[in-house]
Amino acid sequence: MHTTGEKHWRLVIDYRKLKEKAVADAYPLPDVTEVLDQLDQSKYFSCIDMVMEYNQIEMSEKDTAKTFCSTKEGHWEYKRLPFELQTAPVTFQRLMNVVLTGLKGSRCFLFLDDIVVYAKSLAEHAAKIRQVFYRIRERNLKRKPEKCEFLQKEV
């Protein structure tokens, strides 16, 4: 249940057997210490939350058969990256690093499905957030508006 009180259903599949055979992806996640250092003397912050982050990534056709699920209603395969796969978090982090190339570290930082835009002035913040939204829109990625927070001012 989300803060809005609406019920949201999520299909969960036991992928333990697949995880035993999967090759681990050693892509690094951001270091929190480095992230805090980036903030410098910023006073304005916005947090953009992505919706169903992993499901926004199309899977390779050769890999969809690995995600099958059989029920009384039929045989199903994911066409988009399912949440339960062990490689999902780093795959999404890699995608977001590519999407925000050149912006990360100077206009925003990101950790998986959260993008934080930071600035010292309101005008600087407006310019930075426009650039981030442009990149997200360019890749047709979706945000979760009810979980985004805009213009939080440090006091």
Side-chain angles (χ1 to χ4, degrees):
M1 185 139 1
H2 292 266
T3 55
T4 60
E6 295 177 36
K7 288 184 180 180
H8 295 271
W9 298 96
R10 179 183 295 168
L11 174 65
V12 178
I13 300 172
D14 184 357
Y15 283 120
R16 284 182 282 195
K17 295 242 187 252
L18 179 60
K19 287 178 183 177
E20 289 172 9
K21 296 178 182 191
V23 177
D25 189 348
Y27 195 79
L29 294 176
D31 179 350
V32 174
T33 311
E34 289 178 24
V35 168
L36 294 174
D37 288 344
Q38 289 176 24
L39 299 180
D40 198 22
Q41 296 175 359
S42 298
K43 296 196 183 302
Y44 295 91
F45 302 89
S46 288
C47 185
I48 302 165
D49 192 70
M50 306 303 286
V51 65
M52 296 183 70
E53 56 277 1
Y54 309 136
N55 296 133
Q56 294 193 53
I57 301 173
E58 286 187 42
M59 289 192 53
S60 166
E61 244 183 82
K62 68 178 178 61
D63 291 327
T64 59
K66 298 172 187 173
T67 66
F68 79 92
C69 172
S70 292
T71 69
K72 292 185 282 187
E73 284 76 33
H75 180 83
W76 310 93
E77 296 175 358
Y78 275 92
K79 290 185 176 185
R80 297 187 169 272
L81 187 64
F83 179 78
E84 297 86 2
L85 294 183
Q86 73 182 26
T87 57
V90 294
T91 300
F92 190 76
Q93 183 73 47
R94 182 181 287 116
L95 168 70
M96 292 308 295
N97 283 345
V98 169
V99 169
L100 297 174
T101 295
L103 302 181
K104 248 179 17 106
S106 61
R107 292 163 185 81
C108 65
F109 69 83
L110 63 116
F111 188 82
L112 298 173
D113 66 334
D114 292 313
I115 303 168
V116 177
V117 179
Y118 55 92
K120 294 177 185 172
S121 72
L122 195 54
E124 179 187 23
H125 186 275
K128 287 179 175 186
I129 205 163
R130 265 197 290 297
Q131 292 172 321
V132 170
F133 275 136
Y134 176 79
R135 294 282 185 87
I136 292 170
R137 195 175 321 115
E138 188 176 53
R139 287 296 190 100
N140 201 29
L141 296 171
K142 308 291 182 238
R143 299 160 312 282
K144 186 179 274 183
E146 66 271 13
K147 288 187 73 183
C148 295
E149 295 185 41
F150 296 102
L151 283 177
Q152 300 298 312
K153 186 177 180 190
E154 179 190 66
V155 278

